Amino acid sequence: MVSYAFPPGGLPDQSINPEGTAIFTDCYAVLPAVTQRDIVTSFLPGWHKTRAWILARPLSGFAETFAQYALELAPGGGSDTPEPDAKAQAILFVARGQADLVINGAKHSLSAGSYAYIPPGDRWTLWNTGDTPFQAHWVRKSYEPAVGVVVPAAFVTSDAEVAPTPMPDCDGVWATTRFADPADLAHDCHVNIVTFQPGGRIPFAETHVMEHGLYVLQGTAEYLLNKDWVSVGPGDFMWLRAFCPQACIATGSEPFRYLLYKDVNRHVRL
């Protein structure tokens, strides 16, 4: 059975050494799962019986193009007015639980592995319909219009429905699940799932203009961030500034998978 990591909540006991592995630098940050506890959650206007771990937000010296939440709805929780910013688009990826997502009157039943894209201006609601917490990753980004480009339509799919695309020259050990067509210029960001089989790697230090948010869904790896190799595992979140060198080597005996945000398909603002 496929599993997807989510913040553990709770609170470590008093015997735990508080020195941890969290890192915050000028070009990258690492928020380990162990830091994602109850006391760092936020409650959100317009949401009922809901809490959120806000893992990234536009901030000087940190994320510039997006915000990323880990969103937990208690049974019966949800919102009829989830998004306060009319320019914001939403990407939802479900870790566990059941919920009804309604977009412009069309209802979609969500469960673990479900993926939804909601463009700016669309009317949507989200309510937990199960008897356990509903947990989902929510990426928010202000949509950047472009001349001659139509805003993309909403869609709902799932990890199980989209076949991963193997990367070139890697014997299938590195693949990307692309939920939106990378050639579709309507999308100004992608939120994909990247999968490495044990021992698979990014065989060079990627250095590029795209900003990244990475949430580890499964497995472990050694991840290169700028000049530092960092051990990461389920529930760890990484932010990478544009042009921060990155690579990874999957470790352990199971696939290493992460949810990847990147900004794409637009001219650089001057």
Side-chain angles (χ1 to χ4, degrees), residues 98-112:
Q98 306 285 329
D100 281 346
L101 170 67
V102 178
I103 308 173
N104 297 329
K107 186 171 76 173
H108 307 272
S109 296
L110 304 184
S111 59

Side-chain angles (χ1 to χ4, degrees), residues 32-71:
V34 70
T35 67
Q36 299 162 29
R37 298 297 184 170
D38 290 350
I39 61 173
V40 298
T41 58
S42 294
F43 301 108
L44 303 173
W47 288 82
H48 176 64
K49 298 173 68 176
T50 298
R51 63 179 182 170
W53 287 266
I54 300 178
L55 302 173
R57 52 163 287 188
L59 178 72
S60 176
F62 194 45
E64 296 179 351
T65 61
F66 74 110
Q68 186 158 337
Y69 298 6
L71 193 68

Side-chain angles (χ1 to χ4, degrees), residues 161-182:
E161 293 178 66
V162 180
T165 301
M167 301 296 282
D169 305 318
C170 69
D171 297 323
V173 300
W174 176 13
T176 302
T177 304
R178 296 186 172 97
F179 297 100
D181 181 353

Side-chain angles (χ1 to χ4, degrees), residues 207-218:
T207 309
H208 52 63
V209 70
M210 291 169 283
E211 180 180 32
H212 278 338
L214 293 83
Y215 193 93
V216 180
L217 298 172
Q218 178 187 3

Side-chain angles (χ1 to χ4, degrees), residues 83 88-92 116-120 124 138-141:
E83 177 53 70
Q89 59 195 314
I91 298 97
L92 298 171
Y117 172 78
I118 306 164
W124 62 283
W138 179 16
V139 174
R140 301 173 62 224
K141 181 183 182 297

Side-chain angles (χ1 to χ4, degrees), residues 1 31 50-51 72 92 192:
M1 179 179 177
L31 280 64
T50 298
R51 63 179 182 170
E72 183 175 81
L92 298 171
N192 302 324

